[in-house]
Amino acid sequence: MAAQPSKQQPVTGPTTRMDAHVHSKASDKPVVAAAGVIGCPESYSEPEAIYDMARNRGMDLVTITDHDTVRGAMELVERGFQGFIAGEEVTTHFPEDRCKLHVLIWGMTPELDEEIEKEDLRDDVYQLAAWIKERDLAHALAHPLYIQNGRLTRWHVERAALLFKAFENLNGAHQGRAKHTIERFLGAFDERKAERLSREHELDPLYDQIWDKGATAGSDDHALLNVGRTYTQIIGEKIVDAGQFVHRAMNGESTAEGVGGHASLLAHQITAVGARHYAETWHKKSSPTGKLVASKLLKFAGVRAEKPKKSRLAAHVIRKRVVSVRRRKRPLIRAIRKTLRPTLDRHPELQRKLDPELWLTEGMPLADHGAMAEFIDDMIEAVTEALSEPTMRAWRRRDRRALAQTLTAYGAAQLAQLPYIFSLFHQNKERVFLERLEHELSAEDGRPAVLDRPMRVSLFTDTLGDVNGVCRFIQNVAERALDSGRDLQVITSTRLEVPDAPNIFNFKPVFAGSMPKYENLEAVLPPITRMLRHLDEHQPDVLHISTPGPVGFVGYLAARMLKIPVLGVYHTDFPAYIEHLFEDHALTYICKRYMKFFYAPFWKIFTRSEDYIDSLDALGLDRDRCCRLLPGCDVELFNVRHKDMSVWDTVGLSRDTVKVLYVGRVSVEKNLPFLVGVWKQVFETLKRTPGAPDAELVVVGGGPYEKKMAEELRGKNVRFLGFKRGQELSTIYASSDMFLFPSVTDTLGQVVMESQSSGIPVIVTDQGGPKEVVDAGTTGYVLPADRPDLWAEHTVALITDHERRKAMGNAGYESMKPYSLSHSFEHFWQVHTEAWHDHLAATGIRKHASAHTPEKPGAAPAHQ
């Protein structure tokens, strides 16, 4: 969750500030485990540069707290830098279960660091704490709610509260939300609670008035990006002695101020360290062209790298042209060179900060976290677009070598997102632990618990701008959520127009094209990091995935990132669609396997009809996790009162003919070739029947089968009206006479409900979900999907019997009244609420929780 600046304390006098947690190049272990493979350390920051930047950003005093070493700090001590104190971030463990902690200690010397090593204090937090007390060293438990090796529980935090006098309440590299939780924990840590915890843990507090905790804050900077932006502050006087400052902070005189960590900040720290590592190890080995591009990109991270001389670059370009054309091309380099300047022109503030003269005072571009994240997103989008042309050209020419090069370049471009994706996952790994801790604290301090706040839901869909039942369902859910004050956001990525609503978020696709065999539907590549960053801000409790496409897959990633339950609707029988569209058993098999893979982790899978629970069971999914979503229809929008025969004048049809309606996608998977055969029989029968009324088949919608269908039914009273929406569609429904829906793959058939609600009888197949919303013989007919003769017979019977049509239409209208959108939405919301509560219960969060019992070491932490 992107942190906001900490609420500043009112300043009533002089202040003294120190960024109490900073790393230099002496922190030389890998920044992440994977970086150890390539020998990349945690930091390349020079100690003097840290000092200068801290001073320039308003810090009165300075420290360096490298991991398990004082080498970097001692460089400044030995050179006599004023207002400086040597610190160290010491790694230690609970001996019971090896739970790892980091403790910031100030006033360190090489001799003290050697004592820690000799006495094995890193292996025993109790001995380390006693050693700190014995030597009267100022200290603070660093990022106390950060789960480092998967073992941290409240049991450990409570014991740490009895061992250490100060806690780091705000850390500039870890999520800012933890500040609220740790301050809430310490706010309830009074004398009586300290005595109780001492009895429960059988552990004596190491300090008098242990409950009077000191509060510190530091940027935890590794790359000269955030030094001085998070700091410890004492108000009331200017303190010139750093040793005096840290002791007073430890004894409760300070506050934690500044900016908390967030995913983009962490991603930029990782990127900056990686950029420096590249410059130190690989840059000299690059080609002149590669050096030119890299030198420009490295400046974003504040790295000055060698640029090739113009003469050498020109010679290199000529040599490439002369040498064999079979030499490997570099499409990614070309794409970056083509797009870097135009993209940067849209970010003038970042462009200004490429000036090295500003790095010490204002920071390099990578330190402007919001603008830089936007720039990276824009660059990935621009590079992807630049690569699309050569990729398509290689595809058309069947040039496998060129295609492999461009696809490899495309994959490499996407790697720029990895630091962001890693950081988003990393910053959310304590979410369950924090929620549980806050819930337990609510029983002690009486403040609202997690279950006392409204639930937040994010709904992901690949389709929202199309004209189909799925889109209408999602739009209805979004509208009902707004009307009822529920926190639900709809997330999609499409070039199509979507409803303008405050809870609908449409992210511009990185790439979009037409679906094979269905040009009216899009295949898109959504912007993954933009969407995940939005979810990190929203912090939903439950995630709903409406479609198993690329957008739905991003939703699945978001659920894993946030550690929340996933629900979804099996709107469309994709294996059946694939079979109808491609008639390829291998593709159908692959689709079935994918559907099983995609839906298997869902907490609950909605179906639109009972019939499709069997289909999900056949895919190998757990029946117990499938449930039918109460069908819903907008009975106000689709209503008999919208009947207006003048609508036929506007589309060039006579008012006097019987209108036989079809609404939906005009595609093979809707079984429309079957409808063509039925209508041919109906047309011929009516021609032979004396006194039969004229009838017309009215097709509303569009799709790849439209042209062929029109050819097949030329001269047989068929009109194609294209896509219709809103009031016009409602009027067409209510002004028609009957509805035919031959689909055998629909999970519900929203249009069947809309037809009946509009007061017209329906005919549907005996396969799929639509039959479940039809009262056979009363509101319409349910007929075999392989009997076109029966369909033609019943269609003719309804066309020629006005009274029967009227009776069935009235019955259909009455039957749909209970299926309001409100009832359907409340069922939808109820099931999601149950999922949220069950998820919380599995982590130990339940209503009216009993008194807290600390977890013992060795028990599996609830957050794992």
Side-chain angles (χ1 to χ4, degrees):
M1 185 177 196
Q4 299 299 317
S6 172
K7 187 176 181 180
Q8 300 287 323
Q9 296 292 319
V11 177
T12 57
T15 65
T16 306
R17 295 173 175 175
M18 181 173 80
D19 181 344
H21 191 165
V22 188
H23 294 271
S24 78
K25 65 182 182 181
S27 289
D28 54 7
K29 296 178 182 177
V31 63
V32 293
V37 177
I38 58 173
C40 183
E42 283 187 274
S43 176
Y44 282 96
S45 302
E46 293 290 340
E48 186 172 348
I50 292 171
Y51 185 91
D52 291 341
M53 183 165 284
R55 289 291 203 179
N56 277 319
R57 287 187 174 163
M59 298 298 103
D60 304 286
L61 304 169
V62 183
T63 187
I64 290 176
T65 53
D66 285 312
H67 275 133
D68 299 319
T69 181
V70 291
R71 292 194 315 272
M74 292 310 297
E75 286 189 26
L76 301 189
V77 172
E78 291 165 1
R79 293 168 60 189
F81 278 69
Q82 297 299 306
F84 180 81
I85 186 168
E88 183 174 341
E89 186 174 9
V90 177
T91 303
T92 188
H93 300 82
F94 277 93
E96 294 91 346
D97 62 351
R98 298 295 296 168
C99 176
K100 184 192 290 186
L101 299 178
H102 284 163
V103 183
L104 298 167
I105 308 175
W106 298 282
M108 290 293 292
T109 65
E111 293 74 23
L112 290 173
D113 179 59
E114 189 175 344
E115 279 188 39
I116 292 175
E117 201 66 47
K118 281 185 177 179
E119 298 181 24
D120 294 326
L121 301 183
R122 303 190 202 285
D123 291 327
D124 193 324
V125 67
Y126 305 108
Q127 291 186 33
L128 175 66
W131 180 85
I132 292 171
K133 172 71 163 55
E134 181 182 339
R135 282 152 184 75
D136 191 27
L137 293 171
H139 66 275
L141 179 64
H143 37 68
L145 301 183
Y146 172 47
I147 301 172
Q148 299 189 67
N149 60 350
R151 292 178 170 87
L152 186 71
T153 67
R154 182 174 178 177
W155 184 90
H156 301 96
V157 178
E158 289 180 347
R159 290 205 148 209
L162 296 170
L163 296 174
F164 300 108
K165 190 65 168 61
F167 275 34
E168 183 183 53
N169 287 10
L170 183 62
N171 181 286
H174 296 282
Q175 61 170 303
R177 178 189 171 196
K179 180 177 190 285
H180 172 267
T181 308
I182 195 61
E183 287 184 345
R184 187 172 174 181
F185 172 82
L186 296 177
F189 189 72
D190 55 17
E191 181 177 5
R192 192 161 74 176
K193 186 171 182 180
E195 291 174 353
R196 176 173 67 79
L197 292 181
S198 178
R199 290 193 304 272
E200 288 179 0
H201 290 274
E202 298 179 348
L203 181 66
D204 292 332
L206 280 185
Y207 295 85
D208 297 332
Q209 297 185 321
I210 190 72
W211 56 89
D212 188 12
K213 288 279 186 240
T216 71
S219 64
D220 201 355
D221 181 84
H222 290 70
L224 292 176
L225 299 183
N226 307 301
V227 174
R229 290 178 173 173
T230 309
Y231 51 88
T232 308
Q233 176 174 277
I234 294 178
I235 300 174
E237 62 180 289
K238 281 290 183 185
I239 303 170
V240 296
D241 183 271
Q244 180 188 5
F245 177 88
V246 292
H247 273 92
R248 289 176 64 171
M250 185 186 79
N251 289 317
E253 296 185 39
S254 63
T255 57
E257 306 294 342
V259 178
H262 52 85
S264 293
L265 186 155
L266 178 60
H268 295 155
Q269 291 230 48
I270 294 170
T271 302
V273 173
R276 175 63 69 178
H277 184 66
Y278 172 86
E280 296 276 342
T281 57
W282 296 325
H283 184 66
K284 291 181 180 179
K285 304 174 185 178
S286 299
S287 69
T289 305
K291 281 184 181 178
L292 178 65
V293 173
S295 64
K296 293 179 179 180
L297 296 179
L298 288 170
K299 288 177 71 176
F300 286 92
V303 179
R304 301 189 197 195
E306 175 192 0
K307 286 199 296 187
K309 294 180 179 179
K310 291 183 179 180
S311 58
R312 188 176 179 187
L313 181 63
H316 175 73
V317 172
I318 293 171
R319 187 169 62 252
K320 282 203 307 179
R321 291 175 179 172
V322 172
V323 176
S324 171
V325 295
R326 298 295 296 173
R327 284 191 57 126
R328 181 171 63 90
K329 298 179 180 178
R330 307 187 72 179
L332 180 59
I333 296 294
R334 290 200 303 272
I336 292 174
R337 293 182 68 181
K338 177 182 178 181
T339 58
L340 181 57
R341 176 56 60 185
T343 306
L344 192 55
D345 286 343
R346 301 202 302 272
H347 298 268
E349 185 59 22
L350 291 180
Q351 193 169 20
R352 189 180 71 85
K353 289 183 178 179
L354 287 171
D355 181 358
E357 297 299 321
L358 299 176
W359 292 350
L360 184 62
T361 56
E362 298 187 33
M364 64 285 294
L366 210 55
D368 191 343
H369 301 296
M372 195 66 200
E374 282 293 319
F375 172 75
I376 293 292
D377 286 341
D378 289 346
M379 270 299 294
I380 290 172
E381 182 180 313
V383 168
T384 301
E385 186 175 344
L387 288 170
S388 63
E389 182 181 343
T391 301
M392 296 308 297
R393 185 167 60 246
W395 174 264
R396 288 191 296 268
R397 293 176 178 176
R398 299 296 187 264
D399 185 341
R400 295 181 180 179
R401 187 169 179 272
L403 184 61
Q405 289 173 348
T406 55
L407 291 178
T408 300
Y410 170 79
Q414 304 314 304
L415 290 178
Q417 300 180 87
L418 286 182
Y420 292 98
I421 294 173
F422 168 82
S423 300
L424 284 161
F425 274 77
H426 188 80
Q427 292 285 38
N428 280 282
K429 71 190 184 78
E430 284 87 25
R431 174 175 170 156
V432 173
F433 177 48
L434 296 181
E435 284 188 335
R436 182 180 178 190
L437 181 55
E438 289 187 359
H439 178 75
E440 291 171 351
L441 291 171
S442 68
E444 302 168 16
D445 61 17
R447 293 163 66 180
V450 176
L451 285 166
D452 295 326
R453 64 167 174 77
M455 177 177 64
R456 298 185 292 263
V457 177
S458 289
L459 187 155
F460 277 72
T461 178
D462 289 88
T463 178
L464 190 63
D466 308 289
V467 181
N468 56 46
V470 178
C471 291
R472 284 201 293 277
F473 168 80
I474 296 167
Q475 292 168 17
N476 290 336
V477 166
E479 186 177 340
R480 289 302 310 160
L482 274 182
D483 292 344
S484 59
R486 266 51 172 260
D487 188 344
L488 177 139
Q489 292 187 354
V490 175
I491 312 295
T492 192
S493 179
T494 178
R495 296 174 301 178
L496 302 178
E497 184 180 351
V498 301
D500 183 13
N503 61 344
I504 292 177
F505 297 85
N506 182 19
F507 292 84
K508 181 184 176 183
V510 175
F511 171 82
S514 299
M515 288 277 285
K517 293 209 173 191
Y518 211 110
E519 292 74 14
N520 291 329
L521 291 183
E522 281 189 309
V524 307
L525 179 67
I528 297 174
T529 51
R530 286 189 198 269
M531 297 172 83
L532 290 182
R533 201 176 295 124
H534 176 86
L535 268 290
D536 187 45
E537 291 281 352
H538 185 217
Q539 289 285 307
D541 303 297
V542 180
L543 199 137
H544 182 101
I545 299 177
S546 189
T547 50
V551 174
F553 196 79
V554 175
Y556 178 69
L557 281 178
R560 295 295 297 271
M561 176 183 85
L562 297 167
K563 304 181 186 304
I564 57 176
V566 183
L567 291 83
V569 178
Y570 191 71
H571 275 295
T572 306
D573 188 354
F574 280 107
Y577 273 28
I578 294 294
E579 183 67 29
H580 277 274
L581 285 171
F582 297 97
E583 297 181 353
D584 187 320
H585 296 306
L587 277 179
T588 303
Y589 174 78
I590 292 171
C591 183
K592 286 180 177 178
R593 298 295 297 175
Y594 173 74
M595 298 300 277
K596 180 180 179 181
F597 159 78
F598 190 83
Y599 284 101
F602 283 30
W603 184 88
K604 187 71 73 176
I605 307 168
F606 291 111
T607 66
R608 304 308 309 276
S609 61
E610 290 289 340
D611 188 72
Y612 274 88
I613 292 180
D614 293 333
S615 297
L616 292 173
D617 184 50
L619 286 174
L621 298 169
D622 185 358
R623 266 189 103 87
D624 293 337
R625 291 190 291 111
C626 303
C627 73
R628 184 196 186 205
L629 177 64
L630 182 67
C633 175
D634 191 338
V635 295
E636 296 301 319
L637 180 61
F638 301 102
N639 194 286
V640 295
R641 70 169 179 270
H642 295 299
K643 183 173 183 178
D644 180 0
M645 300 305 288
S646 66
V647 70
W648 304 122
D649 301 338
T650 64
V651 295
L653 291 176
S654 169
R655 300 187 186 190
D656 299 327
T657 60
V658 176
K659 307 300 186 303
V660 181
L661 183 65
Y662 167 83
V663 177
R665 291 197 298 273
V666 184
S667 183
V668 171
E669 82 274 7
K670 290 294 185 180
N671 203 23
L672 291 188
F674 176 85
L675 180 58
V676 167
V678 169
W679 188 251
K680 286 179 177 179
Q681 292 187 43
V682 170
F683 181 77
E684 294 300 327
T685 301
L686 291 176
K687 277 177 59 177
R688 296 193 305 267
T689 304
D694 291 332
E696 294 178 285
L697 178 63
V698 179
V699 179
V700 175
Y705 187 62
E706 182 176 342
K707 183 178 179 180
K708 186 173 182 180
M709 187 176 180
E711 291 174 354
E712 291 274 342
L713 295 177
R714 184 178 289 114
K716 293 181 172 56
N717 289 1
V718 178
R719 288 295 299 272
F720 293 86
L721 302 186
F723 291 105
K724 300 296 179 183
R725 303 170 186 266
Q727 184 62 47
E728 185 178 15
L729 178 61
S730 303
T731 305
I732 288 173
Y733 267 123
S735 305
S736 295
D737 297 286
M738 57 183 294
F739 187 83
L740 300 184
F741 196 64
S743 173
V744 295
T745 59
D746 271 62
T747 56
L748 174 66
Q750 190 76 29
V751 289
V752 177
M753 298 184 71
E754 293 167 357
S755 300
Q756 292 178 114
S757 185
S758 300
I760 59 176
V762 299
I763 301 179
V764 302
T765 70
D766 58 355
Q767 296 180 32
K771 65 180 184 294
E772 295 182 17
V773 293
V774 177
D775 186 353
T778 303
T779 66
Y781 296 111
V782 177
L783 302 177
D786 58 354
R787 293 289 305 275
D789 55 324
L790 283 180
W791 275 69
E793 178 184 326
H794 284 75
T795 301
V796 169
L798 283 177
I799 289 173
T800 57
D801 192 337
H802 172 77
E803 292 303 320
R804 187 189 301 182
R805 291 201 312 269
K806 183 177 179 181
M808 283 188 161
N810 289 338
Y813 171 69
E814 293 295 329
S815 74
M816 288 296 105
K817 285 183 177 179
Y819 294 104
S820 69
L821 291 179
S822 177
H823 289 158
S824 178
F825 176 78
E826 292 303 326
H827 179 227
F828 173 91
W829 198 258
Q830 175 193 345
V831 176
H832 286 73
T833 302
E834 290 170 359
W836 180 40
H837 288 180
D838 285 354
H839 165 71
L840 292 177
T843 67
I845 298 175
R846 297 177 178 85
K847 277 284 190 184
H848 311 299
S850 58
H852 161 65
T853 302
E855 298 172 68
K856 302 295 183 184
H863 55 264
Q864 290 187 316

